[in-house]
Amino acid sequence: MKPPETFALPPGKRILYLTRDAELIRKQLAGELDLRMADLTVDDLLDDINTDVMTPAWVCFHHRPEDIAREAYAGLVVDGHRVFERDALANGGFEVIVSGYRKGVGSSRETAVQAEKWCGIRLAIAASFAPIHARNNVNQGVLMGDHAMLRRLEAGEGIALDEFCDDVDPITREIVRHGGLFAFARALEAGEIEVPPHGTTERSMTMSEKILARHLLGDGRRYVKPGDAVLVEVDGGYSHDFTSAQVHHFLQQEYGEGYRIRDPERFAAFEDHLVYADEVEQMRPHLMHVNTMRDLQRQFQAHAGVADYLSEDGVSPGICHEVAREQMVAPGDFIQATDSHTCMGGANNALAWGVGSTEYANLIYSGFTQVEVPESIRFELVGELPDDVTAKDVMLLILLRYAREQKTLNRVMEFTGPGVLSLSMDERATLANMATECSARGAVVIADDKTHRWIAAHRPGSDVETLAASAVRPDAGAEYAGGVHEIDLSQLRPMVAHPGDPDRGIPSDPTNGEWIDQLGRVEVDIAYGGSCTAGKIDDLEFYHRVVREAVEAGRRVHPRVSFFIQFGSRTVERYARDKGFVESFEKAGVRLIQPGCGACIGCGPGVSETAEQVTISAINRNYKGRSGPGRLYLASPLSVAASAFTGHITSYRPGMFS
């Protein structure tokens, strides 16, 4: 349904302010309090509201938006109690929801927007929005505005629909005016609207701009600039067991039970997120819904004809991002998938980012998608990493120094320089993977012979020469709106990101960086190594380096600590077994887990069980509740393994157990 030409607050509809003071939220939900922007400052509002808070993993076990909406904001827990009980948002009569900076960070899950929309929210107000979340709002027909707009609305003013489109590209403006992506797609297919040419002429381009220019649909020009609205072809993509059911549901709703997608061979369905959900006590009450999601995914894969990466005999082939970079992503590709860590494909000199279920359903049906060309920020890496530092530490530094200041927000992070070339492909994958934690659009890593040889070795039928010919490099005069920043790898030290204090308004967030040598003593109960970020071959090498030294010194995992290592794919597991790593791990008392996302999404062994437990983890996010109720510190594989033996957060030092 198209939105009205003028947005105004109708009588009887309310505005919900997500304040740092949870009691104020509770009073608003109970109908005991109505706030106004005049009563508050932006600093009084919650920043960095992540999509795990809006719809925790267990809420996403439903695929119908009306069911998801009943548990809106179920992850906002303060002092052990939900702030939003079931149906609280739906029953409050709210039409506008208000927060601070970086609304919707984290996962690409569109369920976060659906939860608000199906509770009656028509307008989201924030100082800034995370890019994937903002796109999901657009695609679902939820308007976005700032606090100045809200003050005008509260004064009784109506705001023209066009004003909500002032800062967006022409195609996004049409999506907004049509009330969402599917309505826009129908109008485009019927010839009711035309996409205006962007008109950009020859110019120097960044790597991401070159990739998008190469994929322009039906346009003779092969140059783009930031802000251009373009239609682009997609080389490939994938959905997983959290999202495939909803993609299937939306396609059936829009195009009928017998829908067909274009080029199904380009796309895939992965089963990796929920494979071990039955091993987590908190997830067992939801297993009926998990099984429904699994069944619907299998129906989707069979109906759509996409590549089958589903589990066999309860064993996943691996985490979608890890397997995709091994088998699906080539230099110069443009990849879209229903997960925020899709950007990991950027390690292969490709452009990749996550999208919501609506956008993915639309693009696999049509074969193309709409993009506003993003700005870029460049990191020129020099020097080489010390023995006790990994690419995870590099990203924790960038999160602290650049993402925290919003310098990476909605930009593509490009990694260049001799320091990049000193890194393995697995370490480059860590750089690209964690771009989404920076609230960036994606990441592209410069390619070299190492890139092409690695891909050719993993993809039968590919050859180094063809891969090299498709690679992109930035032009000498390319413009970087976010600047060019040199990082000397040789000067880095091991880092952690602490879990913050969400009960007191300090978000649990990967940007909470600290040097381990300045942290003080923090005892741990769980050490977890795995996830798409840290379940690769090199990560297993890091874990094993520490474990081997400990075993040789007669040490075992600290008696208070449970140390879990989960393989990122079957390829990684085979490597670890062939190299003899498994024997060392077992001697040390490590629990090994077959491939999957597991504890990273709260759906596998390694999650905390009580709020008092402390975890040191090599995963990508430490949002409260994402991996159990305890406090979670992020660190490198080396630091995780070292801490498992000492019993407290410790950075690895060669020979530390001698």
Side-chain angles (χ1 to χ4, degrees):
M1 184 174 67
K2 289 186 177 182
E5 288 299 317
T6 300
F7 185 94
L9 295 176
K13 291 296 183 181
R14 304 173 63 207
I15 301 169
L16 177 63
Y17 288 86
L18 299 176
T19 57
R20 293 178 185 270
D21 185 340
E23 283 308 307
L24 294 182
I25 300 176
R26 288 191 171 105
K27 288 180 179 179
Q28 292 175 84
L29 293 171
E32 300 169 359
L33 176 68
D34 282 305
L35 294 173
R36 293 176 63 85
M37 200 63 221
D39 303 325
L40 304 163
T41 69
V42 176
D43 290 339
D44 294 320
L45 301 168
L46 281 173
D47 297 330
D48 298 292
I49 297 175
N50 63 71
T51 54
D52 288 60
V53 161
M54 299 169 78
T55 50
W58 62 269
V59 175
C60 301
F61 296 157
H62 298 279
H63 68 283
R64 298 194 317 160
E66 55 266 40
D67 297 327
I68 292 163
R70 299 196 66 191
E71 304 290 356
Y73 284 87
L76 187 57
V77 176
V78 174
D79 294 328
H81 300 284
R82 282 177 60 167
V83 176
F84 288 71
E85 297 297 338
R86 172 178 282 193
D87 295 322
L89 183 59
N91 293 338
F94 300 104
E95 194 161 86
V96 181
I97 194 162
V98 188
S99 57
Y101 287 91
R102 296 172 298 277
K103 167 81 175 290
V105 295
S107 169
S108 62
R109 60 186 72 168
E110 189 181 293
T111 53
V113 172
Q114 295 163 10
E116 292 186 339
K117 177 182 175 179
W118 265 261
C119 286
I121 299 298
R122 292 200 299 147
L123 172 63
I125 297 288
S128 58
F129 293 86
I132 301 175
H133 184 72
R135 198 73 214 164
N136 288 337
N137 272 313
V138 170
N139 292 336
Q140 281 291 329
V142 176
L143 298 176
M144 290 176 287
D146 60 25
H147 300 96
M149 281 182 165
L150 179 58
R151 291 186 183 94
R152 291 165 56 194
L153 289 168
E154 288 181 321
E157 183 179 343
I159 298 179
L161 182 62
D162 283 345
E163 196 169 337
F164 291 99
C165 306
D166 277 351
D167 297 325
V168 303
D169 63 84
I171 299 179
T172 300
R173 185 176 298 117
E174 287 296 327
I175 298 174
V176 172
R177 294 191 64 82
H178 280 78
L181 181 60
F182 283 135
F184 164 82
R186 287 193 298 270
L188 183 66
E189 188 175 25
E192 297 171 5
I193 53 176
E194 292 185 2
V195 176
H198 62 279
T200 298
T201 56
E202 185 173 354
R203 63 185 294 272
S204 298
M205 292 190 291
T206 66
M207 290 188 286
S208 58
E209 291 164 2
K210 284 185 173 183
I211 292 171
L212 289 174
R214 185 183 292 178
H215 287 79
L216 290 175
L217 185 71
D219 194 324
R221 296 184 179 89
R222 284 297 176 258
Y223 296 92
V224 297
K225 67 179 185 304
D228 282 348
V230 293
L231 296 179
V232 291
E233 292 184 287
V234 178
D235 291 304
Y238 46 91
S239 60
H240 53 66
D241 37 356
F242 257 121
T243 56
S244 293
Q246 193 166 83
V247 170
H248 187 46
H249 179 64
F250 286 171
L251 286 168
Q252 288 178 320
Q253 284 187 324
E254 291 297 318
Y255 304 111
E257 298 285 336
Y259 74 84
R260 290 290 179 266
I261 70 171
R262 293 194 183 182
D263 304 317
E265 67 279 359
R266 295 187 182 187
F267 303 99
F270 284 87
E271 191 172 359
D272 56 0
H273 280 58
L274 303 178
V275 179
Y276 307 110
D278 57 347
E279 296 190 36
V280 179
E281 185 175 352
Q282 300 97 310
M283 295 298 162
R284 287 177 187 144
H286 309 288
L287 288 182
M288 179 181 71
H289 301 303
V290 170
N291 289 331
T292 297
M293 297 287 278
R294 289 170 174 163
D295 291 343
L296 288 172
Q297 182 180 39
R298 292 184 181 277
Q299 291 176 28
F300 165 70
Q301 187 278 324
H303 177 90
V306 299
D308 180 352
Y309 288 95
L310 306 180
S311 65
E312 295 181 9
D313 299 323
V315 180
S316 170
I319 303 172
C320 53
H321 316 299
E322 172 65 14
V323 177
R325 77 182 185 101
E326 294 172 1
Q327 301 182 23
M328 295 178 66
V329 186
D333 276 356
F334 182 50
I335 304 294
Q336 305 271 265
T338 58
D339 192 288
S340 59
H341 290 104
T342 303
C343 53
M344 186 171 175
N348 289 15
N349 191 238
L351 182 61
W353 62 64
V355 296
S357 299
T358 295
E359 191 161 351
Y360 186 75
N362 186 69
L363 72 88
I364 66 173
Y365 181 80
S366 65
F368 63 89
T369 193
Q370 179 267 327
V371 169
E372 179 183 0
V373 178
E375 295 177 344
S376 298
I377 180 172
R378 183 167 164 181
F379 295 94
E380 186 82 3
L381 305 188
V382 300
E384 296 189 13
L385 290 173
D387 281 346
D388 58 348
V389 178
T390 75
K392 180 65 169 288
D393 298 296
V394 178
M395 289 310 298
L396 291 177
L397 178 74
I398 289 174
L399 280 155
L400 173 64
R401 291 188 178 172
Y402 300 95
R404 197 179 186 93
E405 302 298 321
Q406 297 197 118
K407 293 177 181 177
T408 54
L409 179 65
N410 205 20
R411 290 174 170 145
V412 176
M413 300 169 66
E414 298 196 355
F415 292 93
T416 61
V420 171
L421 306 184
S422 72
L423 298 176
S424 70
M425 285 298 293
D426 282 358
E427 286 283 80
R428 298 180 199 185
T430 299
L431 300 179
N433 176 282
M434 292 193 70
T436 190
E437 274 65 58
C438 299
S439 294
R441 181 66 69 89
V444 183
V445 181
I446 199 162
D448 62 355
D449 288 344
K450 193 183 295 183
T451 309
H452 311 135
R453 290 196 304 270
W454 187 90
I455 298 173
H458 285 83
R459 297 180 65 176
S462 60
D463 62 89
V464 169
E465 292 75 17
T466 302
L467 294 168
S470 65
V472 294
R473 303 180 67 85
D475 291 328
E479 297 179 11
Y480 289 88
V484 179
H485 308 275
E486 183 177 283
I487 297 177
D488 186 348
L489 301 182
S490 68
Q491 298 303 304
L492 268 60
R493 313 200 306 273
M495 292 190 72
V496 295
H498 69 74
D501 188 1
D503 290 1
R504 307 293 172 262
I506 303 171
S508 51
D509 191 86
T511 63
N512 295 324
E514 289 190 31
W515 305 109
I516 289 181
D517 58 22
Q518 295 179 358
L519 180 65
R521 187 180 180 92
V522 178
E523 295 188 345
V524 299
D525 304 289
I526 299 169
Y528 177 83
S531 80
C532 55
T533 310
K536 308 178 296 298
I537 284 176
D538 274 19
D539 301 314
L540 270 291
E541 290 275 7
F542 290 137
Y543 302 130
H544 185 254
R545 183 195 308 176
V546 181
V547 170
R548 183 190 66 243
E549 289 187 18
V551 169
E552 289 175 352
R555 300 282 292 270
R556 284 179 58 85
V557 171
H558 191 282
R560 188 185 59 254
V561 178
S562 299
F563 186 11
F564 302 85
I565 294 177
Q566 187 162 20
F567 306 109
S569 71
R570 290 181 184 175
T571 301
V572 175
E573 182 176 6
R574 282 194 298 270
Y575 178 88
R577 293 189 183 282
D578 291 345
K579 296 283 285 187
F581 292 180
V582 170
E583 289 81 359
S584 296
F585 293 149
E586 290 175 344
K587 285 181 182 177
V590 177
R591 179 178 172 186
L592 298 174
I593 312 170
Q594 290 180 311
C597 299
C600 182
I601 193 66
C603 291
V607 300
S608 58
E609 296 179 357
T610 69
E612 292 70 37
Q613 287 182 305
V614 174
T615 298
I616 182 166
S617 177
I619 65 174
N620 36 58
R621 293 174 182 152
N622 58 345
Y623 302 147
K624 180 180 178 181
R626 180 177 175 88
S627 190
R631 292 170 55 81
L632 192 151
Y633 289 76
L634 298 178
S636 77
L638 289 175
S639 298
V640 167
S643 303
F645 289 94
T646 64
H648 58 90
I649 294 179
T650 309
S651 59
Y652 165 74
R653 301 180 311 280
M656 64 184 291
F657 301 112
S658 299

